Amino acid sequence: QSQELSEVQIDYHAALQALVENGTRMVCTGRMHTDRICRFESLCYSTEAEEFVYFHSNSSVMLPNLGSRRFQPALLDLSSVEDHNTQYFNFVELPAAALKFMPKPVFVPDVALIANRFNPDNLMHVFHDDLLPIYYTMQQFSDLDLEARLFFMEGWSEGVHFDLYKLLSNKQPLLREELKTLGRLLCFTKSYVGLSKITTWYQYGFVQPQGPKANILVSGNEIRQFTKFMMQKLNISLEESSGEEYIVVFSRTINRLILNEAELILALAQEFQMKTISVSLEEHSFSDIVRLISNASMLLSMHGAQLVMSLFLPRGATVVELFPYAINPEHYTPYKTLATLPGMDLQYIAWQNTDREDTVTYPDRPWDQGGIAHLDKAEQERIIKSTEVPRHLCCRNPEWLFRAYQDTKVNIPSLIHTIRQTVKSKPGPKKQKWSGSLYPGKVRDAKCQASVQGTSEAKLAVSWQIPWNLRYLKVREVKYEVWIQEQGENTYMPYILSHQNHTFSENIKPFTIYLVWIRCIFNKNLLGPFANVLLCST
Ligand code: UDP
């Protein structure tokens, strides 16, 4: 036997012995299954049972230790889509002694990130549900570096966008089906299970009609850090726009078509005096599309997943989203929400076809391409007569699908008029520097001095120092907000002041205790924190 092989054998026996003696160790972050990510040592997976296995021994750890609440409804969400009941993660438990009777474990030496992709054939889902969450889950845990390996457990095949997933780590991602070829019992030396939801901005309408998430926690900065990483991996340089400005029309070639696209492209070129290029996922490579979009002044497209590519647009660019007849743009805003995230610095414009003459419907197509022939006659007629799809839940509403898969002859004067209401001169990256918005710290050394005049009048002189960070910043406008509250009262008097001191006399009574709250405001809308409350007795 070669030296190498025997070394592997020694390692194998050591690993097996560690598993038998130590069992599985799990420590998680998050209080609920919807915000939980777990780190494991020696988590195993039976490819026959298609179940994860947790081995109990004298040294195993399970935190949180939920008892049967682990099944109510699950330990955690395996995808970034919140609380979706097809995406739950759990494991079955065994004593480590059972390993004696089980297939010999195969050890996975790489640090693993184990998760589900949600819908890997749809580009919006790919970026929003998978790529961004995977990227930022890897940023959260330092041993999930470029040498980590991704394991996709949702059970799909690679899908058309698999090359994008491959950019996130140097190791080939593995799919659930491929695990069978590795062995009957796999044991992950170190693994993380679950995805961070911190970057997602949209909910798809599983429990309430679709819309922006209630509490968005991501800004354009983090989106752009991610796109910078992706572009480096795609070998696309972030060169300063090398001259000519242009418009990109992102077309769909299979369905939801723009019927007069050639005419539209000419009209845009004419109106904005810019070269106008058309791209599609069918006819261009992903890198070419990113390269073009990352220097474009305007991106125009029908509503659809391809519009998620606006995350590659440069700051200052304009996104124009076209909606087919009877689809209210306000009800479908994944791309509007993205474009208007703070710090994305994109202009967003929606245009809707409001003319029945300009739409082409496909009632006889299969239901998943918007056909309605399977519905009863009265329902078909109602849908055809309707002028707006009512709000609905995901994902099979036939009226929505019918309208979503219409083709549209774009009314060009109407579209240009809509764009012109927002884009007054030339669209595109402004030369001005986009200043990030920084918030003030607390005001410091707040003091008050009271003076009483007679039995009914009093004055309160309040002063404070600037927030500590202001001395290092250039801020256009600095104001202070002061609230004066009589102790024990629910109401207060608010003031906006420009200086660092003020003497208050209206409604100030003698022999009374006042609570004084002070905060700093930069540029009208950047509100800082209140300093500790100041107690002032007159
Ligand atoms: N797609 C495309 N060209 C087409 C139709 C679809 O590139 O003509 C892409 C689309 O961008 C998405 C995927 O195919 O990534 C699925 O499209 P679908 O219409 O199901 O979803 P939607 O775009 O409405 O989210």
Side-chain angles (χ1 to χ4, degrees), residues 442-460:
K442 290 180 192 171
V443 303
R444 307 198 307 154
D445 301 328
K447 291 189 180 74
C448 55
Q449 188 144 40
S451 54
V452 175
Q453 282 107 23
T455 52
S456 62
E457 273 179 47
K459 284 183 179 168
L460 207 52

Side-chain angles (χ1 to χ4, degrees), residues 121-123 252-256 281-282 304-306 335 405:
D121 284 343
N122 179 301
L123 204 55
R252 296 172 61 108
T253 62
I254 303 162
N255 53 43
R256 204 178 301 151
L281 287 171
E282 290 81 11
Q306 65 288 342
Y335 315 111
Y405 286 108

Side-chain angles (χ1 to χ4, degrees), residues 31-128:
R31 293 161 51 98
M32 312 252 291
H33 73 281
T34 51
D35 61 6
R36 189 167 289 140
I37 297 176
C38 293
R39 182 182 194 278
F40 288 90
E41 287 168 30
S42 301
L43 173 68
C44 299
Y45 180 76
S46 161
T47 56
E48 291 164 328
E50 301 199 315
E51 299 244 42
F52 285 94
V53 189
Y54 177 105
F55 286 106
H56 283 270
S57 82
N58 291 336
S59 320
S60 51
V61 174
M62 192 190 292
L63 268 181
N65 201 322
L66 293 164
S68 68
R69 284 169 295 164
R70 186 156 71 76
F71 311 112
Q72 294 166 2
L75 180 62
L76 56 83
D77 291 337
L78 211 36
S79 85
S80 73
V81 174
E82 177 123 342
D83 195 33
H84 196 290
N85 61 12
T86 64
Q87 308 288 325
Y88 289 150
F89 170 85
N90 241 315
F91 47 73
V92 293
E93 294 166 82
L94 282 175
L99 278 162
K100 282 202 287 287
F101 310 104
M102 297 183 71
K104 271 182 138 309
V106 172
F107 290 96
V108 176
D110 315 312
V111 180
L113 174 56
I114 299 170
N116 277 2
R117 298 178 297 169
F118 189 71
N119 183 353
D121 284 343
N122 179 301
L123 204 55
M124 166 66 185
H125 288 284
V126 169
F127 276 97
H128 178 269

Side-chain angles (χ1 to χ4, degrees), residues 321-383:
E321 180 170 14
L322 312 181
F323 289 83
Y325 182 77
I327 296 183
N328 184 338
E330 287 301 310
H331 297 176
Y332 308 92
T333 56
Y335 315 111
K336 177 187 182 178
T337 307
L338 169 61
T340 56
L341 287 177
M344 269 312 277
D345 300 329
L346 297 175
Q347 281 197 307
Y348 175 85
I349 298 169
W351 176 87
Q352 184 191 3
N353 172 24
T354 53
D355 195 341
R356 218 174 247 280
E357 302 266 284
D358 289 340
T359 197
V360 177
T361 62
Y362 294 95
D364 298 323
R365 284 187 176 168
W367 71 268
D368 59 343
Q369 293 162 46
I372 52 170
H374 63 291
L375 302 175
D376 71 48
K377 270 273 165 307
E379 180 63 358
Q380 291 185 35
E381 250 160 57
R382 185 194 65 74
I383 290 175

